[in-house]
Amino acid sequence: MKIQINQLGYTADMKKVALLRDELAEELQVFNQAGALVMTLPVDVKRTEIWGDLVAEVDFSALQEPGMYTLRCGAESSWPFPVGERPYQACLTALVDMFYYQRCGDDLDERAGVFAHPACHTGLARVYGTEEWREVNGGWHDAGDFGRYIVPAAKAAADLLLAWQWNPAAFEKPGLTPVLEETRYELEWMLKMQREDGGVYHKVSCARFCGMIMPHEEQEELIISPVSTTATGDFAACMAMASRYYAKIDTTFADRMLAAAKRAWDFLAVTEPILFRNPEGISTGGYGDRDDADERLWAHVELALTCGEEKYLTAAREAILRSDRCHAPLGWGDMRGYAAVEGLGLPGELGEICRRWVLEAADDLLTRINVYGITMTERLPWGSNMNISNDGMLFHQAWLLTGAEKYREAAWKQLHYLLGVNPVDTCYVSGFGTRPMARPHHRPSVALGVCQPGMLSGGACSGLADACAREHLQGQPAGKCFIDMHESYSTNEICVYWNSPMVALLAGLTK
Ligand SMILES: [Zn+2]
């Protein structure tokens, strides 16, 4: 299809823009389900050359009557799509349910359908290089593999907490996974990863990735990789943040998290940077980093917010004033974006600086938006759909601060791209849309020959970082470097911390 729409559809009153690729027609026709022509609209005369196509926009916001429709332009047509109420609610539910499917160490019951399996990875894990064994059961499998890593876990948990903060009602509807309950499953595991001196182990996994098997079939020895200060900083920040959310629900749990955050912070205060690299013999996800200043900054901000104590405020002040600019995304490696968004709640000048950081970052992103609405054109990194969701979160935060429509519109564009307004004509969430991603690099899906629903694909990756991508995508423009095959882990893996920003974006936008 060369007419790109949000495959999940639209609400009656929202702005609706379709993109046409290589289409010279001047008019767009709208047909209803019965095949009757209901509207004819002009195609924007402007054509934008991008990723090998000439792309034109068509605004069909005038279409407001609930129903199923198809757009036609010359010989091309769109997928049928609905206009109606709450077109994204089922998708949001599934994106949150994904975290249940990713649970480790739990008997997955009928909620997981054919993906139900006995508890996995329940044995003791050996601390790398020692004969010490620890119980670190629980948490979510990180991605298409079964490792559990603190750094991305902190991002995923923070995103789900922000999602709940932005729109708690989105998660209170019947049938929806209680998002705080699910997040707690991860937080409880993270607490087990803290050493007695406050340092936090970077990850637990087997020595190497297993084959395409179910989680409980992976029986190799579990190894706890060494402590890093990036994991410890993220842990301190995430625990201090989470303790505020759970304070009214379960005081004991909130206190336990805050005490753990303080111990991690104390560890950081007397510890030089320990940047993680896979130790010899371990080849699972590394989540390495070039410096830990941003993890420390985020930790200072969260502890200052939660405790208000002078020592944390002083540390936050010093760290914030040290960096005069903060065009940082909400990533897993660079946590300055989280420090900025969370730091909005700090008193006085510090809160003002964070506000400036958020708006400068959002404005900077706005200048880079292309006709598809996303901020990356020449190069799309591994997991680009995470960056797109992250950008959407930042735009949403900027809109919350200012009410400026330009941010709101930009946030929606990120969502439309993920759900079908992209040059590969794909809804990047499995199980949703007319042409969903269906063959992810995800071990249970491959093992069972069924695609688990509600997972966001990593999406286009112009680096062609696996053999399958190199075989099939050589010479493709950046935005089209995607292939829906499980062998292509660089374009079609899934991750908890890719789903999480999309949950936050969707929750924020649908309030
Ligand atoms: Zn497991």
Side-chain angles (χ1 to χ4, degrees):
M1 297 288 181
K2 288 190 168 180
I3 302 178
Q4 259 60 68
I5 41 103
N6 184 326
Q7 295 181 17
L8 270 58
Y10 304 85
T11 59
D13 58 355
M14 72 191 285
K15 183 168 180 176
K16 307 173 186 71
V17 176
L19 293 187
L20 274 60
R21 294 187 286 132
D22 282 339
E23 182 50 61
L24 299 174
E26 295 170 354
E27 282 185 346
L28 178 92
Q29 296 173 315
V30 183
F31 291 87
N32 66 15
Q33 201 165 13
L37 177 67
V38 294
M39 204 175 280
T40 300
L41 295 160
V43 175
D44 193 331
V45 292
K46 187 179 162 209
R47 298 289 189 274
T48 305
E49 194 173 352
I50 180 169
W51 298 328
D53 296 316
L54 277 177
V55 175
E57 290 181 288
V58 192
D59 189 319
F60 62 105
S61 307
L63 181 65
Q64 300 196 341
E65 184 76 22
M68 285 296 292
Y69 297 95
T70 307
L71 307 181
R72 284 188 210 156
C73 200
E76 297 290 343
S77 55
S78 72
W79 298 109
F81 63 90
V83 171
E85 288 184 17
R86 304 167 69 79
Y88 314 116
Q89 191 61 43
C91 183
L92 178 58
T93 305
L95 286 165
V96 177
D97 282 346
M98 177 264 201
F99 294 88
Y100 176 74
Y101 286 84
Q102 293 292 115
R103 279 190 186 192
C104 184
D106 194 15
D107 283 307
L108 294 200
D109 59 24
E110 66 278 3
R111 286 167 65 196
V114 297
F115 291 91
H117 63 75
C120 52
H121 305 108
T122 50
L124 293 177
R126 185 167 60 85
V127 178
Y128 181 84
T130 74
E131 286 306 314
E132 183 190 350
W133 298 77
R134 299 178 73 101
E135 189 269 291
V136 289
N137 293 348
W140 302 315
H141 299 136
D142 179 58
D145 68 302
F146 304 133
R148 287 165 286 152
Y149 313 102
I150 287 290
V151 165
K155 169 180 169 50
D159 288 340
L160 294 186
L161 295 175
L162 282 169
W164 189 83
Q165 179 188 313
W166 285 345
N167 189 2
F171 305 104
E172 288 165 4
K173 299 289 185 291
L176 267 182
T177 310
V179 72
L180 291 185
E181 183 188 317
E182 192 55 52
T183 309
R184 178 171 179 160
Y185 192 79
E186 182 78 337
L187 295 166
E188 293 277 14
W189 163 72
M190 290 174 73
L191 286 166
K192 294 180 181 179
M193 292 290 283
Q194 186 173 36
R195 204 167 58 184
E196 289 64 28
D197 66 356
V200 177
Y201 294 110
H202 198 78
K203 63 171 176 174
V204 57
S205 69
C206 298
R208 58 191 70 83
F209 292 127
C210 62
M212 292 293 170
I213 56 177
M214 290 295 283
H216 60 286
E217 293 169 339
E218 189 183 49
Q219 301 282 346
E220 309 298 312
E221 180 186 59
L222 287 170
I223 303 165
I224 298 173
S225 283
V227 164
S228 72
T229 49
T230 48
T232 307
D234 280 342
F235 174 96
C238 185
M239 288 296 157
M241 176 185 183
S243 71
R244 296 198 303 277
Y245 286 77
Y246 292 86
K248 287 183 186 160
I249 302 167
D250 184 338
T251 327
T252 311
F253 179 51
D255 290 348
R256 198 150 58 86
M257 286 193 288
L258 185 55
K262 288 178 175 176
R263 280 201 306 280
W265 192 88
D266 289 343
F267 176 86
L268 287 175
V270 296
T271 308
E272 292 294 311
I274 307 168
L275 303 177
F276 186 80
R277 279 187 187 210
N278 263 332
E280 196 182 338
I282 304 223
S283 59
T284 50
Y287 294 104
D289 206 330
R290 274 174 293 188
D291 85 271
D292 68 2
D294 48 294
E295 284 82 7
R296 289 173 188 261
L297 167 67
W298 185 29
H300 299 325
V301 166
E302 296 290 1
L303 275 149
L305 278 170
T306 307
C307 307
E309 279 176 41
E310 197 48 47
K311 69 173 176 180
Y312 301 123
L313 276 166
T314 302
R317 184 177 297 111
E318 286 174 359
I320 287 172
L321 295 179
R322 255 200 307 274
S323 34
D324 61 344
R325 275 165 67 85
C326 179
H327 285 189
L330 296 151
W332 61 261
D334 186 339
M335 310 316 289
R336 286 179 296 169
Y338 289 95
V341 167
E342 289 289 287
L344 293 167
L346 289 173
E349 180 199 17
L350 299 183
E352 283 303 311
I353 292 173
C354 289
R355 179 188 165 92
R356 180 163 55 80
W357 281 355
V358 169
L359 296 181
E360 280 178 358
D363 287 339
D364 179 55
L365 289 175
L366 277 181
T367 65
R368 291 189 254 151
I369 278 186
N370 63 29
V371 69
Y372 282 95
I374 67 167
T375 65
M376 300 165 291
T377 302
E378 302 303 321
R379 178 182 167 273
L380 276 80
W382 191 323
S384 61
N385 284 345
M386 174 197 73
N387 299 63
I388 288 160
S389 307
N390 289 345
D391 290 348
M393 285 178 70
L394 199 68
F395 286 132
H396 178 68
Q397 181 63 71
W399 176 75
L400 288 176
L401 283 174
T402 62
E405 198 49 40
K406 60 181 178 181
Y407 300 127
R408 180 83 164 169
E409 199 174 304
W412 271 112
K413 282 181 176 173
Q414 311 312 305
L415 189 74
H416 293 322
Y417 172 95
L418 297 171
L419 297 177
V421 185
N422 56 62
V424 292
D425 194 31
T426 297
C427 175
Y428 276 121
V429 179
S430 57
F432 286 84
T434 321
R435 192 167 181 271
M437 173 277 276
R439 286 170 289 277
H441 182 85
H442 174 249
R443 280 166 176 73
S445 295
V446 178
L448 295 172
V450 184
C451 180
Q452 185 179 298
M455 302 188 293
L456 176 65
S457 164
C461 170
S462 54
L464 304 185
D466 62 70
C468 177
R470 281 190 292 276
E471 182 186 342
H472 295 279
L473 300 170
Q474 207 64 251
Q476 285 288 338
K480 293 180 181 172
C481 288
F482 168 76
I483 185 157
D484 189 10
M485 291 176 67
H486 73 80
E487 293 89 347
S488 182
Y489 48 82
S490 71
T491 76
N492 206 27
E493 193 170 354
I494 60 89
C495 284
V496 289
Y497 62 97
W498 298 349
N499 259 56
S500 61
M502 189 167 178
V503 168
L505 174 61
L506 204 38
L509 284 175
T510 52
K511 187 175 181 182

